[in-house]
Amino acid sequence: MSRQNIGFELKLRQGEKLKKLELSDKVKKQIHKQTGKNYTAYLKEFIGNEKDFNILNKAFDNAMQKSLPNDIEEHCLFCKKQSDDFGDKLCQKYYLQMNITFMMASNEFISLVSQNKHIYNDKSSLKKLTAKFFDCFRFIKGEGKMFLDVDRLCRFTLECGFLAITNMFAKSDTLSNLKIINSTLNEIDEKDLNNKINQSEDDNYLELQRVFFESKRRFYKDEIFINEREKPIPNPQKKLDIKQPTVVHYVLYYNYLQQSKDFGYFENHPEGKVTAIKNLIKDEGLKTTYKYFQLKYNHFTNYPSNRIAQNQVANISYVANTMLQAFPEAQKIALLELEKAILKSR
């Protein structure tokens, strides 16, 4: 999609008037049959329901009205009932050019969504982007004109696209996500190189895309590192009926204590988060580094879906029923999350 703003201005010669054409019912039916689903129907579909569309459309109509010339009613013969000629209705020119702008912009937006299937398939992201679409129009007060800020819309599309991709990744396994990420980064590099060779402008915000996918690659590489570190080391001399808390258990344990306010957040420590974690590791006698503990802590705290997951059922159960017995509020929170994690495994 070009970054050029979209707008339409109707220019009439002095003395020219708009003419209203009356179509027969037969012609109206024929036009409807040929056009089928129009841009309004698509926008209602994208936003999810007619009620929310009407709210946005009403605010949009108010903005159009406020952009009209201030003295338009004073000079409108039609509004003052001094003429029955539709051409004397001065506001119609301005409404017509703004409605044409809206139609042109809507069709471009629909085309943009159709090119980004990951957004279209993620209904929450699609609804958010459609609401943002209405926010991308700029009105010229006193002139009855408006235009679509295309650069703003493209950036909103990137934002919602990144959200949709994140949601998609959350439903897939780590290795599959890394394959997609690496392939996408390779495509971005090729497009960027072609732009530099041909001295072309970047219309696809490649640098922003690169930043997003590189951050995701780092995240999923950390996932693999964490999962490898969590694999139990066989110890035939260890009694099977005695289970010692692992680093993961302690991370979950303190997460629930912080949620219940039985223990302060590491960030609130007078000497900072790192010192707080180092002190905890020392006090608990954990055989780990503060970097690994912090990495695992961020993994569960910043992304609750990693904590409330099928592969964490056993860990949450152990923490709730063994380590949190003296903390009823924290135990209650843990047991509720255990139920959610179990439901995900069914």
Side-chain angles (χ1 to χ4, degrees), residues 28-198:
K28 288 179 180 178
K29 288 180 180 179
Q30 186 65 27
I31 291 175
H32 179 73
K33 185 183 296 184
Q34 291 175 352
T35 57
K37 191 174 182 180
N38 61 18
Y39 63 91
T40 303
Y42 278 106
L43 293 176
K44 288 179 181 178
E45 176 195 334
F46 292 172
I47 203 68
N49 59 76
E50 190 163 353
K51 180 182 177 182
D52 288 342
F53 173 80
N54 289 338
I55 292 172
L56 291 170
N57 200 45
K58 184 177 179 181
F60 194 80
D61 287 343
N62 289 336
M64 284 200 297
Q65 184 179 4
K66 289 179 181 178
S67 74
L68 296 176
N70 296 327
D71 59 349
I72 192 167
E73 290 187 15
E74 297 176 15
H75 298 90
C76 182
L77 299 177
F78 190 91
C79 292
K80 292 193 296 185
K81 302 188 184 303
Q82 295 177 6
S83 171
D84 294 330
D85 187 349
F86 178 81
D88 289 326
K89 194 174 184 180
L90 299 182
C91 65
Q92 289 306 304
K93 168 195 170 183
Y94 302 106
Y95 279 124
L96 178 60
Q97 64 189 16
M98 286 190 284
N99 282 324
I100 290 176
T101 296
F102 183 70
M103 178 188 68
M104 293 166 57
S106 296
N107 286 327
E108 285 294 327
F109 175 63
I110 293 164
S111 175
L112 182 64
V113 170
S114 68
Q115 295 168 27
N116 292 271
K117 294 297 184 183
H118 56 290
I119 298 179
Y120 179 78
N121 293 329
D122 188 311
K123 299 309 176 186
S124 62
S125 298
L126 179 59
K127 181 172 183 176
K128 180 180 178 181
L129 179 59
T130 306
K132 295 280 191 182
F133 165 67
F134 281 85
D135 191 43
C136 288
F137 285 94
R138 296 290 175 261
F139 295 86
I140 303 176
K141 191 173 182 180
E143 296 186 27
K145 301 176 189 175
M146 71 180 195
F147 63 89
L148 178 72
D149 187 336
V150 174
D151 180 69
R152 184 175 172 84
L153 177 60
C154 288
R155 292 179 183 275
F156 280 143
T157 303
L158 273 179
E159 179 187 0
C160 293
F162 292 159
L163 176 61
I165 291 170
T166 298
N167 293 338
M168 181 180 69
F169 282 165
K171 299 173 184 177
S172 186
D173 63 274
T174 301
L175 286 177
S176 295
N177 292 341
L178 275 174
K179 288 179 181 178
I180 295 172
I181 290 167
N182 287 335
S183 175
T184 304
L185 281 170
N186 183 58
E187 290 179 11
I188 290 172
D189 288 338
E190 288 180 355
K191 289 179 182 177
D192 189 31
L193 181 60
N194 286 333
N195 285 342
K196 290 175 181 176
I197 292 173
N198 298 309

